[in-house]
């Protein structure tokens, strides 16, 4: 059976291949697990596509040429320069997002100043890159993915057929990657997709949501193949304590973990070495006290290569097998020695010669060179060291100094021989010539022979490192050929920089690592593919967890936002999206733990320089009832402060006494301002904890209240009042400032537009049926075909207006919407209950035919409060009416509370207002209201009230809805916007809310 397993990284693919081999009894036929780029290469080979795919070195060379063509600060960049790396990342991201140079120029026209200049510069570089790519007739990685998707659709695959496709841990895909995934899913007979997504925490897993929705949109393929989407929930075999931790961290509103069922441990250590020792002690405790096997424990770190040496040494010292992977080839001592020679190719000055003499590789051939250089007076900048040695030898006369003269002459000859060996590497030349000279250098110095003389394990490592060095040089030569620069001369420094980049991708084998039964070390990216009974998460220090994204000097947020606006999709990730992705990776690393989670970080202490744990780690420990160790004071008190900064910080910590102590000094003003700001923060914190409005915490007074009164509406909508009840801060932003609730750019249709689309389709369908007296529908194929015909007109209008998202994603979503419409028509036939629609899109107030509702509480005084709104639908019979409100949702649990009469005027304003408007339009009937969830095509159990229920009396009364509305509007008019919310999930204003999640938890505690 042909099986293809796709993983997000090479390491994850290697681990999956090993598991597949173990499951097959040690024999694995076929490629096993691979990554999307490697799968693309297989598809192109099967299709006979002869276009070469650029290697990373070739892409870097094309990027440098593109920068040269763009000019300005991008001209003349070295291959390893920071700006060259930023340009390579920018062009790579633009190519993955399928953004063209014309798109960048159109976006730049909307900007001015430095952002516009940066976009113009990057646009020129991207145009030059694409032109050079076309001239070379080659494919870069994004183009190879697109070409491979086309080849797979044309039935090109190495084995002719694909029985099963497995995707494990892939949570995001660019346009080209998705095209290849969709083509492989269409080719496979069965597909299993495991996405790093926890349904209970969609706020944290938002970076993976577009990929999940795309998989869900493959309805047409599900007819001919078996597609299984696996989403891991909090309670899927996980200990209760860990489930509670995952529900609480990163702004969640989970409860404190129960006393049993799971283990969460804090294991800080002093500095990097102490952290490794503390983590090893935690692993030892898991093995000895809790009975876990080493291979059931997974070590995860943001930087695995940095953590591997100390952690491996600490675990092996405790007798625990550890598999951390081999070191990078570029870090091997013999490779560092050769790279050092490349840096000094040419005449050897004194410092160069001294380093060679101190090297373990050549020091034996240069005995006493340091003393001879000292006596010869060799200095840097005064010629080669060999010339200085010969001058000293020529100046010596007489027989008594013959031995020194002979030593000087021998050392000079050896240094001159080294200069002759290094001379070819000091000249510009093609990459293949540099590679040949490098191989000759290794041979002439006898480095392989010298390496073979060491201990067996050291010799094996050094010989493998030398082979990796020569292979990396060949990679540079091959990359230059693919980029069309096979005969172009490279400067020695440029070749050395490219060689170092090629070495970064090569990792030496780890002969001391066991093949199985060991604690394994992986990065955050691979943790989602490797669930384990216990996870030891290292590097959880403040500022390092979640890891920060690299700075992007060429494509900053203003440019990214402008490009996304032009394209109407999230082609480029902004800073918030990159932070969300880092939080998601860190969250999924914690979610890999099933029974035990150990959090470790380098803490301050003797022999180590560290810091406090990251806020995410603090939240996890607090949710589990584990208090992290207190951070020792690291800053001096005011009396011992020696700098302005230390004095100000000490004064701020001391509060008013500190500000008074600095009175009369140059720092008095700054200390007083810091104290005043601190008092504001203290008062704000107290107001948040109490849930009351206060100055600087949700209370508007003075002239600002007059401006507020001008901004308030004359007629209120129930959604505005519900917003204030749910979160007064959101109500302030929407009602007074008019900030829109725009969703983030996405390839998919926005949820609001999808709901509007379905509302319009249903309104037309129901109106047409009522006009010809054909209600209720039978729900059969004829009715469904009629609804689809009505939907075709509405869909065409939305498509023309560009309100359906990316066309590629809409193709699948369109089919999903039509299937959903079929279910809704069937549900109408099932749920009509003898009622007939009487009011459709019934508007009241706001200039509509029906006037606004006027509500007033007795004794309140002043003008009554007016409510406006629009009811989706009112069905009626002679003795009853039913208000039906459409909700574009899959589940209706969160709407059940709004149907409870006890919530009228507390959290529910829409339902009672709609019932009052419906009763006014169709009097004398029993009142009912329900929500119809369009995605599930189901209705919630309705609320039932008798006609004339006093709770819905317009004049109000104690406990009535009218009294609650008057009270709520009065609070708003008085400027009361306390910082307390009922929930922060899906809130679009998190970037400007300083208390996101805190007020929600405080509100739940008070409830």
């Amino acid at each position: 059976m042909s099986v293809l397993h796709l993983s997000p990284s090479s390491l994850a693919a290697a681990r999956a291949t090993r598991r597949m081999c173990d499951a097959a009894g040690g024999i694995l036929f076929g490629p096993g697990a691979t990554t999307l780029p490697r799968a693309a290469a297989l598809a192109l080979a099967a299709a006979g596509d002869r276009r070469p795919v650029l290697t990373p070195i070739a892409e870097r060379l094309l990027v440098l040429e593109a920068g040269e063509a763009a000019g300005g600060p991008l001209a003349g960049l070295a291959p390893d320069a920071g700006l060259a790396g930023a340009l390579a990342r920018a062009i790579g991201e633009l190519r993955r997002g399928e953004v063209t140079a014309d798109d960048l120029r159109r976006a730049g026209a909307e900007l001015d100043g430095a952002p516009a200049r940066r976009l113009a510069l990057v646009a020129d570089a991207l145009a030059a890159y694409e032109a050079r790519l076309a001239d070379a007739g080659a494919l870069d990685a994004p183009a190879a993915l697109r070409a491979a998707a086309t080849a797979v659709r044309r039935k090109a695959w190495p084995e002719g057929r694909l029985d099963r496709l497995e995707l494990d841990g892939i949570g995001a895909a660019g346009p080209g990657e998705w095209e290849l995934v969709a083509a492989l899913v269409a080719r496979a007979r069965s597909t299993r997709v495991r996405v790093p997504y926890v349904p209970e925490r969609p706020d944290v897993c938002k970076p993976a949501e577009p990929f999940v929705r795309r998989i869900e949109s493959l309805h047409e393929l599900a007819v001919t193949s078996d597609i299984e989407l696996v989403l891991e929930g909090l309670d899927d075999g996980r200990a209760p304590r860990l489930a509670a931790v995952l529900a609480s961290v990163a702004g969640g509103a989970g409860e404190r973990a129960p006393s049993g069922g799971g283990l969460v441990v804090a294991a800080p250590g002093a500095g990097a070495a102490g952290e490794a020792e503390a983590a090893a002690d935690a692993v030892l405790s898991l093995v000895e006290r809790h009975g876990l096997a080493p291979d059931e424990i997974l070590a995860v770190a943001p930087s695995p290569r940095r953590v591997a040496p100390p952690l491996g040494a600490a675990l092996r010292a405790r007798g625990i097998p550890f598999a951390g992977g081999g070191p990078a080839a570029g870090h091997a001592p013999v490779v560092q020695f050769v790279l050092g020679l490349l840096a000094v190719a040419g005449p050897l000055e004194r410092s160069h010669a001294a380093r060679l003499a101190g090297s373990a590789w050549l020091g034996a051939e240069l005995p006493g060179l340091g003393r001879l250089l000292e006596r010869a007076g060799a200095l840097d900048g005064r010629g080669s060291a060999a010339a200085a040695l010969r001058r000293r030898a020529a100046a010596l006369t007489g027989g008594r100094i013959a031995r020194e003269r002979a030593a000087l002459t021998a050392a000079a000859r050896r240094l001159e021989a080294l200069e002759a060996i290094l001379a070819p590497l000091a000249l510009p030349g093609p990459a293949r010539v540099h590679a040949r000279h490098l191989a000759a250098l290794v041979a002439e110095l006898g480095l392989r022979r010298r390496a073979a003389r060491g201990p067996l394990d050291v010799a094996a490592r050094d010989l493998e490192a030398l082979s990796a060095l020569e292979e990396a040089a060949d990679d540079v030569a091959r990359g230059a050929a693919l980029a069309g620069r096979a005969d172009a001369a490279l400067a020695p420094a440029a070749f050395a920089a490219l060689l170092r980049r090629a070495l970064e991708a090569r990792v030496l084998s780890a002969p001391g690592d066991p093949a199985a039964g060991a604690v394994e070390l992986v990065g955050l990216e691979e943790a989602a593919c490797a669930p384990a009974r216990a996870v030891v998460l290292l590097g959880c220090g403040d500022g390092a967890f979640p890891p920060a994204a690299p700075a992007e000097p060429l494509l900053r947020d203003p440019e990214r936002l402008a490009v996304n606006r032009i394209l109407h999709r999230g082609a480029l990730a902004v800073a918030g999206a990159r932070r969300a992705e880092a939080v998601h990776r860190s969250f999924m690393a914690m979610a890999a733990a099933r029974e035990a989670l150990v959090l470790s970080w380098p803490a301050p202490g003797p022999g180590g320089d560290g810091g406090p744990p990251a806020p995410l780690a603090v939240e996890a420990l607090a949710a589990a009832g584990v208090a992290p160790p207190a951070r020792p004071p690291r800053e001096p008190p005011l009396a011992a402060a020696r700098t302005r900064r230390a004095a100000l910080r000490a004064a701020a910590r001391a509060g008013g006494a500190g500000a008074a102590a600095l009175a009369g000094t140059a720092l008095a003003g700054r200390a007083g301002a810091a104290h005043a700001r601190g008092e504001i923060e203290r008062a704000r914190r107290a107001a948040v904890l109490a849930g009351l409005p206060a100055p600087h915490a949700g209370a508007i007074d003075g002239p600002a209240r007059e401006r507020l009164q001008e901004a308030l509406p004359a007629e209120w909508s129930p959604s505005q009042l519900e917003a204030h009840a749910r979160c007064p801060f959101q109500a302030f932003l929407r009602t007074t400032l008019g900030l829109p609730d725009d969703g983030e750019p996405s390839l998919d249709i926005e949820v609001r537009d999808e709901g509007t689309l379905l509302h319009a389709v249903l309104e037309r369908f129901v109106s047409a049926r009522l006009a010809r007296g054909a209600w209720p529908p039978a729900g059969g194929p004829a009715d469904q075909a009629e609804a689809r015909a009505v939907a075709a007109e509405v869909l065409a209008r939305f498509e023309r207006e560009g309100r359906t998202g990316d066309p590629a994603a809409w193709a699948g979503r369109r089919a999903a919407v039509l299937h959903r419409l079929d279910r809704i028509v069937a549900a109408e036939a099932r749920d009509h209950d003898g009622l007939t629609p009487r009011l459709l899109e019934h508007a009241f107030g706001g200039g509509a035919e029906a006037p606004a509702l006027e509500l007033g509480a007795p004794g309140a005084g002043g003008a009554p409060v007016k409510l406006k709104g629009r009811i989706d639908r009112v069905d009626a019979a002679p003795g009853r009416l039913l208000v039906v409100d459409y909700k574009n949702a899959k589940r209706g649990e969160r709407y059940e509370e709004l149907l409870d009469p006890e919530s009228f005027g507390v959290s529910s304003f829409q339902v009672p207002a709609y019932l009052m408007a419906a009763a006014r339009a169709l009097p004398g009937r029993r009142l009912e209201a329900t929500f119809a969830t369009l995605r599930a095509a189901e209705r919630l159990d309705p609320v039932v009230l008798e006609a004339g229920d006093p709770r819905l009396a317009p004049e109000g009364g104690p406990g009535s809805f009218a009294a609650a509305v008057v009270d709520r509007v009065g609070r708003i008019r008085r400027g009361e916007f306390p910082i307390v919310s009922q929930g922060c999930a899906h809130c679009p204003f998190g970037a400007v809310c300083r208390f996101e999640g805190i007020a929600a938890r405080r509100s739940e505690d008070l409830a």
Side-chain angles (χ1 to χ4, degrees), residues 320-332:
I320 299 175
F322 173 73
H331 294 167

Side-chain angles (χ1 to χ4, degrees), residues 565-781:
R565 283 196 301 270
I566 287 292
L567 297 178
H568 303 290
R569 59 185 175 91
L572 302 178
V574 297
R578 293 199 297 270
R579 285 195 299 270
E581 185 177 355
V583 172
H584 174 235
R585 286 199 302 267
S586 304
F587 177 83
M588 293 310 301
M590 291 191 289
R594 288 289 184 264
E595 300 176 15
L597 176 64
V598 178
L599 301 176
S600 179
W601 65 92
D609 184 17
L616 193 61
V618 174
E619 290 180 11
L621 294 173
V626 179
R631 177 180 179 180
R634 301 183 60 189
E635 297 184 0
L638 182 58
R642 293 294 180 266
T643 64
R644 289 174 175 264
R645 181 177 182 274
L648 284 172
R649 292 178 65 87
R653 291 194 301 272
L662 292 178
T665 67
L667 299 178
R670 295 175 63 184
H675 175 63
R677 290 195 299 271
E679 287 298 308
I680 291 174
E681 293 298 329
R682 183 194 59 76
R684 181 183 285 121
R685 180 176 182 275
V688 170
L689 294 178
L692 300 174
H696 308 289
I700 300 177
D701 204 352
R705 187 188 294 181
E706 299 176 4
R707 299 291 301 274
L708 171 67
Q709 299 290 342
E710 297 173 1
L712 295 179
E715 296 180 353
W716 296 82
S717 68
S719 60
Q720 290 174 325
L721 302 181
E722 286 186 356
H724 187 272
R726 183 172 56 252
C727 178
F729 182 65
Q730 286 191 30
F732 172 74
L733 295 177
R734 291 196 179 109
T735 304
T736 63
L737 301 184
L739 294 185
D741 184 6
D742 292 334
E744 293 187 4
S746 172
L747 295 175
D748 212 343
I749 183 175
E750 291 189 7
V751 176
R752 184 188 297 109
D753 285 336
E754 187 179 57
T756 304
L757 186 153
L758 288 171
H759 276 62
V761 171
L762 290 174
E763 193 272 336
R764 290 193 178 192
F765 173 71
V766 176
S767 297
R769 303 278 305 192
L770 292 174
R772 67 173 190 270
W775 193 265

Side-chain angles (χ1 to χ4, degrees), residues 200-201 203-204 234 243-256 619 623 981-985 996-1005:
E200 294 90 344
R201 294 301 309 274
D203 52 335
V204 180
L234 293 183
V245 167
L246 296 178
S248 302
V249 298
E255 299 178 356
R256 184 173 293 275
E619 290 180 11
S981 69
Q982 302 300 319
C984 295
E996 185 179 16
I998 297 176
R1001 288 194 291 271
R1002 176 58 180 163
S1003 176
E1004 292 176 0
D1005 292 342

Side-chain angles (χ1 to χ4, degrees), residues 116-535:
R117 291 192 296 271
R118 284 194 294 268
L119 271 184
L121 190 65
V122 176
D124 293 341
L126 178 60
Y129 176 88
E130 292 176 341
R132 187 69 184 86
L133 191 64
D135 293 341
L139 302 171
D140 61 354
L145 290 167
R146 277 283 185 184
T150 303
V152 172
R153 290 194 184 95
R154 294 175 180 172
K155 311 301 182 184
W157 189 250
E159 301 181 18
R161 68 174 189 174
L162 183 59
D163 295 314
R164 182 168 178 81
L165 174 66
E166 295 184 354
L167 282 77
D168 189 8
I170 298 176
E177 294 169 325
W178 171 250
E179 288 297 324
L180 180 55
V181 168
L184 289 171
V185 172
R187 177 112 178 127
R189 296 182 180 180
S190 66
T191 302
R192 182 180 184 272
V193 184
R194 180 177 174 272
V195 183
Y197 187 91
V198 178
E200 294 90 344
R201 294 301 309 274
D203 52 335
V204 180
C205 299
K206 195 171 185 179
E209 185 175 356
F211 189 76
V212 173
R213 297 174 71 178
R214 279 178 155 182
I215 294 295
E216 291 177 337
S217 69
L218 299 176
H219 297 282
E220 296 180 358
L221 299 180
V223 177
T224 58
S225 62
D226 181 17
I227 302 177
E228 179 188 3
L229 177 61
V230 179
L231 301 179
E232 181 182 344
L234 293 183
D235 297 327
D236 293 349
R238 197 186 312 277
R241 184 181 298 274
L242 296 182
V245 167
L246 296 178
S248 302
V249 298
E255 299 178 356
R256 184 173 293 275
S259 59
L263 180 67
V264 179
V265 178
E275 179 190 13
E277 294 291 333
D281 287 338
V283 171
L284 183 63
S285 175
L286 291 173
V287 172
E288 293 184 346
R289 298 184 182 180
H290 300 279
L292 274 68
D295 58 354
E296 295 175 329
I297 303 172
L298 185 70
V300 184
S303 301
R305 289 187 181 180
R306 180 186 61 83
V307 171
L311 180 62
L315 287 174
R316 294 185 186 104
R318 290 160 176 78
I320 299 175
F322 173 73
H331 294 167
V334 64
V335 174
Q336 290 291 315
F337 171 72
V338 175
L339 293 177
L341 289 179
L342 295 181
V344 301
L348 298 175
E349 295 188 346
R350 173 174 178 167
S351 58
H352 303 152
R355 282 203 299 271
L356 292 177
S359 168
W361 297 94
L362 291 180
E365 297 184 6
L366 298 168
L369 180 62
R371 181 179 57 82
L372 295 176
L373 291 173
E374 185 70 27
R375 292 179 64 82
L379 295 173
D380 288 342
R382 294 188 181 182
S384 70
L389 293 175
R390 288 204 175 274
R391 286 195 301 270
R392 171 67 177 172
L396 295 177
T397 59
R400 288 183 300 176
I401 42 87
R403 181 176 298 175
E404 182 181 352
R405 186 166 56 243
L408 289 168
T409 303
R413 278 200 303 269
R414 186 54 181 154
L415 290 179
E416 289 167 349
L418 284 174
E419 290 177 351
I421 296 173
L422 295 174
L425 290 167
L427 302 174
R432 66 176 184 276
V433 175
H434 282 295
R436 187 167 62 248
H437 288 160
L438 181 64
L441 171 67
V442 172
E444 291 185 28
L445 292 180
L447 295 181
R448 292 186 181 278
R449 184 184 68 255
R450 299 172 190 272
R453 294 174 181 171
L456 185 59
D457 55 342
V458 177
R461 181 201 63 190
D462 290 340
L463 290 173
E464 184 183 3
L466 287 172
S467 298
L469 177 66
E470 294 185 354
E471 291 171 0
D474 292 339
D475 288 344
V476 176
R478 182 167 58 254
L482 290 174
R485 299 185 58 179
D487 298 323
L490 275 179
F495 174 77
L498 292 172
L499 181 64
R500 285 192 292 270
R501 287 197 56 81
L503 284 168
E504 290 176 2
R506 296 192 172 272
V507 179
L508 302 181
S509 62
D513 284 2
V519 177
E520 192 164 1
L521 176 66
V522 299
L524 294 178
E525 296 80 2
E526 291 82 18
C529 307
R533 290 184 64 186
V535 168

Side-chain angles (χ1 to χ4, degrees), residues 17-87:
T17 300
R18 188 182 65 202
R19 291 196 302 269
M20 295 168 65
C21 186
D22 293 341
I27 301 176
L28 179 64
F29 296 98
T34 186
T35 60
L36 275 172
R38 292 179 182 174
L42 291 174
L44 292 175
D49 194 329
R50 296 181 177 274
R51 289 176 294 177
V53 179
L54 298 185
T55 63
I57 295 297
E59 289 186 4
R60 177 57 63 96
L61 288 172
L62 286 189
V63 166
L64 294 176
E65 289 187 2
E68 192 70 32
L74 301 182
L77 294 176
D80 56 348
L83 195 55
L87 180 60

